[in-house]
Amino acid sequence: MCGLAGIYGMRISAHSPEKSESHLRAMGEALRHRGPDSEGIWLDPDSLIGLVHRRLSILDLSPLGHQPMASGCGRFMAVYNGEIYNSPELRQALEAEGWAFRGTSDTEVALAAFSAWGIESAVCRMNGMFAFAIWDRSRGELTLVRDRFGQKPLYYGVAEGVLVFGSELSVFRAWPGFPLVVDEMAVEDLLARGWIRTPRSILRDVSKLPPGHIMTIRLDRADSGTVGVRRESLVPRPYWRLNANPSSDWTRASDSEAIDACEELLSEAVELCRLSDVPLGAFLSGGVDSSTIVALMSRQASGPVRTFCVGFEESSEGPYARAIADHLGTEHVEVDLRESDVLGLVEQLPSLYDEPFGDSSQLPTYLISRVAREHVTVVLSGDAGDEVFGGYLRYRRGVQRWDKYVRVPVGLRAYTSPRLRAFGEGLGRRGAGRGSLAGVLDRLSRATFALSGWESEDQAYDRMLSSLPAGWASLASGGHSGSEPDPWRAWASRWPEGVSFQRGMQWSDLHGYLVDDILYKVDRAAMAVSLEGRIPLLDHRVVEFAMGLPERFHVRDGQGKWLLRQVLYRHVPRSLVERPKRGFGVPLDKWLCGELRPWGSSLLAYAETCGGLGLDIPQLRRLWELHQAGHVAAGARLWRVLVLIQWLRAWPDVSLGR
């Protein structure tokens, strides 16, 4: 687990090798938290390319694992962030073909695989989480690659013909002259969803490489003699696609056959994720997902597994996790996030999460990562269980809503849609009280508005994920009408042909919410404390298996994750895990009226002194006052705006683009 950055197409006339190396070093320093163990810089002025790497040593702790690393044949030079879990298997295959190795790092295995099989073919054989930047000396081209589900981040952008790329946005501040301009469409994403959808970033000139994509970059040599990278030439292409349709092989499978196959695959995934030369543990909330992972780890480990849990004074997961830990015999560490602790954490958010990020569970995620890092260097988590095995309540409710909606005649939909939209926006502007009649109507209009005006299932679900009516997105000045091309839909595209509404929702979440909320949160929180997080449920074989199953193995008798539960029940008594699903959210409504009230007030005051920062400050002030008076529960809406303002305050060199 590491951090990487680089430049390609640097003009020697503008940046001498010495200056370029200095800038690369500054980019690496911005990523120090991702890799505190060592730094490496490689610069080739003749090829106009430079790479920098920060290392967190997990496998092969010796200098033989140092990056940037050259392939044994000398053709490739690469920097890499992540872990290739099946590197021992790939190593054996390469040794059988005559390749020799100096050390035991998976980086060396990856470079040999590129040499033996080609970059794209090698990547398709890799099982793991990764972001690569690979320089091919013989072809004179750079290749960027991101893992199938986007567990590891990779940003890129072009300024004056120079390609800049890295693991976090902070590297772009370190390259002189890179334009730091806010993308207003990304702001709308943040305010409506709490996260920014790939391939956008909060910066207009910086994109995220989509998961499961590879991009090859070559210099453009103009007639004028200038050399550089053209933005329009950067076209990522997929090397892997997820099939969302059930496989005919499992149509008639019995329950026991599916459970056996699932347990075998999960066991293999957990065993691969346990590969480490440093201390390892697991997050344990007491829910189905994390309990399954810890149960399988306990069966494989030679001693007690170290587990970690975080809770709140108001709603702690502690007793549930403790019961599972006691049953499995783990070495359990539990910590409570108290309201008095929150203020110290929120002040760190811009540096911890890099981009503005509106999921308030970022607080406990960082806290549990910090606690775990005091004991281990690697943790396994149960993330992705809901997306992969159909656990979210919204999947069942979404099917019910869509089934009802499609029964409404098209003409009636066309008549009611604009009226529902206007009604929902009006209530949002007035701030309807939760307990009032207006509040009830507000929630009803939101539920109906989510489906109104759309004929396709994927568009309806995308609207359902936006927890605010569209009028709230217009808090960003210059709000977009939707007439501009949407880059998110360009890569996530429409639902695959023939999928059901439930399977389509899972497919959307695996490409959207999981990538840009859950995985983003886990990566930033863990890397902020130099901790490596691994997610066995995102072994691509597990995901492909689960998505190939008929829906009866996902949802049965009104309960999600049916199959995953059956695997868990083989190891943990049903009574320890059968309870209503609890999220990882924090009591924002209360905290914003308590310890976080001065923080929120100061941010609103800051926005006012800066001319509003493109936000409707009077509207926000009214919402803030209604919330403080207890007339409306607006914690989530306010949180998204406040983290945006805080990020803008922490990045004063960013322009709003107006």
Side-chain angles (χ1 to χ4, degrees):
M1 188 69 67
C2 310
L4 65 87
I7 50 177
Y8 183 39
M10 57 191 178
R11 292 183 176 83
I12 299 301
S13 59
H15 300 285
S16 66
E18 293 77 14
K19 285 185 178 180
S20 295
E21 182 173 344
S22 175
H23 298 323
L24 281 169
R25 196 171 300 280
M27 295 165 74
E29 188 63 26
L31 300 173
R32 173 181 287 271
H33 56 283
R34 298 186 73 93
D37 295 333
S38 67
E39 177 190 64
I41 294 177
W42 176 79
L43 184 65
D44 183 352
D46 294 333
S47 299
L48 308 185
I49 185 165
L51 303 174
V52 61
H53 186 263
R54 294 293 318 195
R55 185 184 184 197
L56 175 63
S57 302
I58 302 295
L59 294 174
D60 191 347
L61 309 186
S62 75
L64 293 176
H66 184 76
Q67 299 183 48
M69 183 182 291
S71 61
C73 63
R75 175 180 175 180
F76 297 105
M77 178 67 72
V79 286
Y80 149 59
N81 168 29
E83 297 291 344
I84 302 172
Y85 303 135
N86 66 333
S87 61
E89 174 189 330
L90 298 178
R91 183 188 183 102
Q92 289 180 356
L94 290 162
E95 287 175 334
E97 295 181 14
W99 294 86
F101 296 89
R102 298 177 306 140
T104 59
S105 74
D106 54 350
T107 311
E108 188 179 4
V109 172
L111 284 161
F114 299 150
S115 302
W117 306 321
I119 294 177
E120 187 164 345
S121 295
V123 167
C124 290
R125 295 175 70 162
M126 292 177 183
N127 184 340
M129 54 180 183
F130 46 80
F132 280 103
I134 309 152
W135 173 245
D136 184 340
R137 286 189 173 105
S138 66
R139 297 177 64 92
E141 60 188 27
L142 175 70
T143 299
L144 302 181
V145 188
R146 195 175 180 197
D147 66 69
R148 295 172 178 82
F149 299 102
Q151 296 181 66
K152 294 294 99 189
L154 189 54
Y155 295 84
Y156 66 92
V158 175
E160 298 180 347
V162 179
L163 174 75
V164 182
F165 57 90
S167 298
E168 296 184 6
L169 283 184
S170 54
V171 304
F172 296 90
R173 300 177 84 180
W175 183 256
F178 196 94
L180 305 177
V181 183
V182 169
D183 183 342
E184 292 183 351
M185 293 182 72
V187 172
E188 292 182 6
D189 260 359
L190 176 70
L191 296 179
R193 293 174 176 82
W195 39 277
I196 298 170
R197 298 181 293 176
T198 296
R200 296 189 191 108
S201 81
I202 190 63
L203 298 180
R204 189 174 63 194
D205 296 292
V206 178
S207 298
K208 303 167 189 166
L209 186 67
H213 278 63
I214 187 171
M215 183 167 68
T216 303
I217 306 104
R218 301 177 183 86
L219 292 180
D220 177 62
R221 301 181 183 275
D223 294 337
S224 62
T226 60
V227 178
V229 176
R230 292 183 298 112
R231 173 80 190 191
E232 56 270 25
S233 70
L234 302 180
V235 183
R237 66 183 188 278
Y239 65 83
W240 177 84
R241 293 183 186 276
L242 177 62
N243 182 9
N245 288 288
S247 168
S248 58
D249 295 339
W250 289 101
T251 302
R252 297 183 179 180
S254 67
D255 289 352
S256 60
E257 288 173 330
I259 297 169
D260 289 343
C262 185
E263 182 172 17
E264 181 178 356
L265 270 177
L266 288 175
S267 296
E268 290 179 8
V270 168
E271 187 171 11
L272 286 177
C273 287
R274 291 180 60 244
L275 181 65
S276 174
D277 292 333
V278 295
L280 177 144
F283 293 149
L284 177 61
S285 69
V288 172
D289 309 334
S290 64
S291 297
T292 303
I293 298 304
V294 173
L296 296 175
M297 289 178 69
S298 297
R299 189 176 65 174
Q300 297 172 5
S302 58
V305 174
R306 293 176 176 176
T307 55
F308 307 92
C309 174
V310 65
F312 317 110
E313 294 174 290
E314 293 85 352
S315 177
S316 177
E317 294 285 355
Y320 305 109
R322 194 157 52 246
I324 299 293
D326 289 344
H327 177 78
L328 296 174
T330 72
E331 293 181 2
H332 191 59
V333 177
E334 184 180 321
V335 60
D336 279 334
L337 177 59
R338 303 178 185 277
E339 187 174 352
S340 57
D341 301 327
V342 174
L343 190 57
L345 292 180
V346 297
E347 295 291 354
Q348 302 177 55
L349 291 180
S351 61
L352 296 178
Y353 285 92
D354 199 40
E355 289 190 82
F357 180 55
D359 183 343
S360 60
S361 65
Q362 61 196 167
L363 298 171
T365 303
Y366 169 71
L367 179 62
I368 194 174
S369 298
R370 190 176 69 187
V371 171
R373 187 62 178 91
E374 297 173 1
H375 304 269
V376 299
T377 309
V378 177
V379 291
L380 275 60
S381 79
D383 290 301
D386 288 304
E387 293 85 359
V388 175
F389 287 96
Y392 288 126
L393 179 60
R394 65 173 177 260
Y395 293 159
R396 275 99 74 199
R397 289 179 174 173
V399 170
Q400 294 169 356
R401 290 177 183 176
W402 182 255
D403 287 346
K404 292 177 181 178
Y405 176 66
V406 294
R407 297 173 188 170
V408 179
V410 174
L412 183 57
R413 294 184 215 166
Y415 175 81
T416 58
S417 290
R419 289 158 179 80
L420 284 168
R421 182 174 292 110
F423 179 65
E425 292 177 3
L427 287 173
R429 285 191 294 270
R430 291 193 295 275
R434 180 177 285 275
S436 64
L437 175 60
V440 174
L441 293 174
D442 178 33
R443 293 193 295 278
L444 177 62
S445 71
R446 289 171 192 267
T448 312
F449 175 77
L451 298 173
S452 62
W454 302 102
E455 297 301 325
S456 68
E457 294 96 329
D458 63 321
Q459 289 178 318
Y461 185 57
D462 185 42
R463 176 61 59 83
M464 287 168 61
L465 290 181
S466 175
S467 61
L468 305 175
W472 284 106
S474 66
L475 281 170
S477 65
H480 297 266
S481 63
S483 59
E484 298 186 22
D486 187 338
W488 183 81
R489 289 184 63 79
W491 94 264
S493 188
R494 303 179 70 85
W495 289 359
E497 291 292 331
V499 299
S500 66
F501 196 81
Q502 178 186 310
R503 189 56 54 87
M505 289 188 286
Q506 290 177 252
W507 192 89
S508 284
D509 281 346
L510 283 164
H511 288 76
Y513 175 69
L514 175 72
V515 176
D516 296 313
D517 187 306
I518 303 300
L519 299 181
Y520 177 92
K521 173 183 62 181
V522 170
D523 173 79
R524 296 309 192 275
M527 283 287 87
V529 295
S530 303
L531 177 74
E532 176 170 298
R534 299 178 178 177
I535 306 175
L537 290 171
L538 282 183
D539 184 307
H540 67 277
R541 300 168 304 164
V542 172
V543 179
E544 290 168 345
F545 163 77
M547 295 297 280
L549 292 172
E551 290 177 9
R552 70 178 185 274
F553 292 114
H554 287 220
V555 178
R556 190 177 298 188
D557 300 326
Q559 189 177 54
K561 290 188 289 198
W562 181 87
L563 182 59
L564 193 60
R565 291 175 187 274
Q566 309 316 305
V567 173
L568 177 59
Y569 297 155
R570 291 182 171 184
H571 304 276
V572 174
R574 183 186 299 251
S575 59
L576 293 184
V577 290
E578 284 294 352
R579 64 181 190 277
K581 180 177 175 59
R582 306 171 71 93
F584 205 35
V586 301
L588 272 183
D589 290 334
K590 175 187 174 183
W591 287 359
L592 286 175
C593 294
E595 292 284 346
L596 293 185
R597 182 171 183 172
W599 172 76
S601 296
S602 68
L603 289 173
L604 291 176
Y606 171 78
E608 287 178 323
T609 62
C610 296
L613 298 176
L615 302 170
D616 187 339
I617 299 301
Q619 182 179 343
L620 286 173
R621 278 288 184 191
R622 174 168 172 74
L623 183 62
W624 176 260
E625 291 164 1
L626 287 169
H627 180 81
Q628 296 299 324
H631 298 315
V632 59
R637 284 177 275 179
L638 289 167
W639 179 261
R640 296 170 185 177
V641 178
L642 292 173
V643 295
L644 172 64
I645 297 172
Q646 185 185 35
W647 184 86
L648 290 169
R649 185 172 66 178
W651 285 54
D653 46 346
V654 168
S655 167
L656 294 178
R658 291 189 300 278

